[in-house]
């Protein structure tokens, strides 16, 4: 974690949640969130719960985000949800290109880059998710893959767009498997990503938050956050358990 960038801890609920359980989870989060300067926390529930969660978060510093966003603003796109709608329901953030979207919905780098832009166009902060599969890692292609994913958004929107964005490095083999990347391995990718952005703009790169995701738990969070280019985390499984999520938040700044 760097002293110049505020930490970001995001809880991606994926396709989990229920009206009654959401109330209990949010009550615990609100009561237990550590008072830390420079700590930004957000939850990403499924679309149908956004309104409920927005109300439950009223007056809290916890932000609200969407797990996905359409590249289109309006029209005949059955099943899609636009950035404008998400904004209206209080979303400050939107994930773009989570590996489960890339894998199960065949989202291309180009489509993900367009979603990134759609979120930004209405004032939301896009969280661009990047990461290699196990086969790609074994083939030593990690940086090729994450650079290709990053470059699609850089090419479409320019480096200035990254002044209002977050990168999430999430190796696919580490998501939901209990096999987190080692802090050193994650740091190497984060540093390479920052250097890539720095080639276009040093100041944007210095301020850009790059969070790590993939089996982050209370017991490995602090070691990850100790790395200079790891600015927080995108949490999946542990985001569904208030105690586990709060422990990860507390691991920020020791
Ligand atoms: P995990 O998921 O924490 O359950 O590995 C992370 C993610 O998919 O964002």
């Amino acid at each position: 974690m760097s002293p110049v960038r505020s930490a970001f801890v995001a809880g991606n609920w994926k396709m989990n949640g229920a009206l009654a359980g959401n109330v209990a989870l949010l009550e615990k989060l609100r009561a237990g969130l550590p008072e830390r300067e420079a700590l930004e926390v957000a939850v990403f529930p499924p679309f149908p719960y956004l309104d409920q969660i927005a109300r439950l978060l009223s007056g809290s510093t916890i932000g609200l985000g969407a797990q996905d966003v359409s590249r289109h603003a309006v029209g005949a796109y059955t099943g899609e949800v636009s950035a404008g709608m998400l904004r209206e329901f209080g979303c400050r953030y939107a994930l773009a290109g989570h590996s489960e979207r890339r894998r199960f919905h065949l989202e291309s780098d180009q489509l993900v880059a367009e979603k990134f832009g759609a979120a930004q166009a209405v004032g939301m902060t896009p969280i661009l998710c990047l990461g290699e599969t196990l086969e790609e890692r074994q083939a030593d292609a990690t940086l090729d893959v994450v650079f290709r994913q990053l470059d699609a958004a850089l090419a479409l929107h320019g480096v200035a767009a990254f002044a209002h964005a977050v990168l999430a490095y999430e190796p696919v083999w580490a998501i939901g498997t209990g096999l987190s990347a080692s802090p050193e391995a994650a740091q190497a990718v984060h540093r390479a990503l920052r250097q890539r952005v720095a080639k276009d703009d040093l100041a944007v790169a210095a301020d850009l938050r790059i969070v790590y995701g993939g089996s982050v738990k209370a017991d490995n969070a602090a070691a990850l956050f100790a790395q200079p280019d790891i600015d927080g985390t995108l949490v999946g499984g542990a985001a569904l358990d208030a105690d586990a999520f709060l422990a990860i938040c507390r691991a920020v700044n020791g």
Side-chain angles (χ1 to χ4, degrees):
M1 206 95 67
S2 132
V4 301
R5 295 180 292 270
S6 61
F8 186 46
V9 176
N12 172 13
W13 293 8
K14 309 195 180 189
M15 201 173 72
N16 296 287
L19 289 171
N22 297 346
V23 174
L25 179 56
L26 264 295
E27 267 173 11
K28 276 187 156 186
L29 289 186
R30 288 194 61 153
L33 196 71
E35 295 265 339
R36 292 264 158 87
E37 270 179 49
L39 169 64
E40 202 174 316
V41 177
V43 293
F44 293 69
F47 290 143
Y49 299 125
L50 287 173
D51 186 45
Q52 179 204 20
I53 307 294
R55 289 165 202 267
L56 290 170
L57 288 179
S58 156
S60 143
T61 57
I62 302 173
L64 184 64
Q67 296 176 17
D68 186 30
V69 57
S70 177
R71 73 173 138 165
H72 303 290
V74 66
Y77 302 103
T78 301
E80 293 277 277
V81 178
S82 76
M85 296 170 187
L86 296 170
R87 193 80 186 112
E88 221 175 13
F89 277 83
C91 289
R92 276 188 236 158
Y93 314 91
L95 302 185
H98 187 281
S99 66
E100 287 151 17
R101 300 292 314 173
R102 294 180 188 264
R103 179 169 165 216
F104 300 125
H105 301 273
L106 307 181
E107 294 193 1
S108 66
D109 296 335
Q110 176 66 24
L111 173 60
V112 169
E114 290 178 28
K115 291 181 171 203
F116 176 105
Q120 264 194 347
V122 301
M124 283 194 292
T125 299
I127 295 158
L128 177 63
C129 303
L130 319 164
E132 81 286 3
T133 64
L134 185 59
E135 296 70 40
E136 289 162 341
R137 170 154 285 251
Q138 285 167 343
D140 233 353
T142 298
L143 292 186
D144 295 339
V145 171
V146 296
F147 286 167
R148 192 198 70 222
Q149 293 169 334
L150 172 63
D151 288 352
L154 273 173
L156 196 61
H157 304 296
V159 71
F162 285 80
H164 308 285
V166 173
L167 291 186
Y169 170 56
E170 295 205 304
V172 179
W173 49 269
I175 294 178
T177 59
L179 289 174
S180 172
S182 71
E184 297 74 22
Q187 162 62 22
V189 177
H190 284 228
R191 189 184 52 226
L193 287 167
R194 195 178 307 286
Q195 284 170 345
R196 184 78 164 193
V197 175
K199 278 202 325 191
D200 288 353
D201 192 312
L202 272 177
V204 169
D207 288 344
L208 177 64
R209 280 162 327 155
I210 308 178
V211 302
Y212 167 81
S215 296
V216 174
K217 308 274 181 258
D219 58 4
N220 60 10
L224 287 158
F225 298 162
Q227 299 295 325
D229 289 292
I230 298 183
D231 304 310
T233 178
L234 179 54
V235 185
L240 302 172
D241 175 336
D243 293 331
F245 190 68
L246 288 168
I248 292 168
C249 293
R250 278 193 294 272
V252 169
N253 305 331

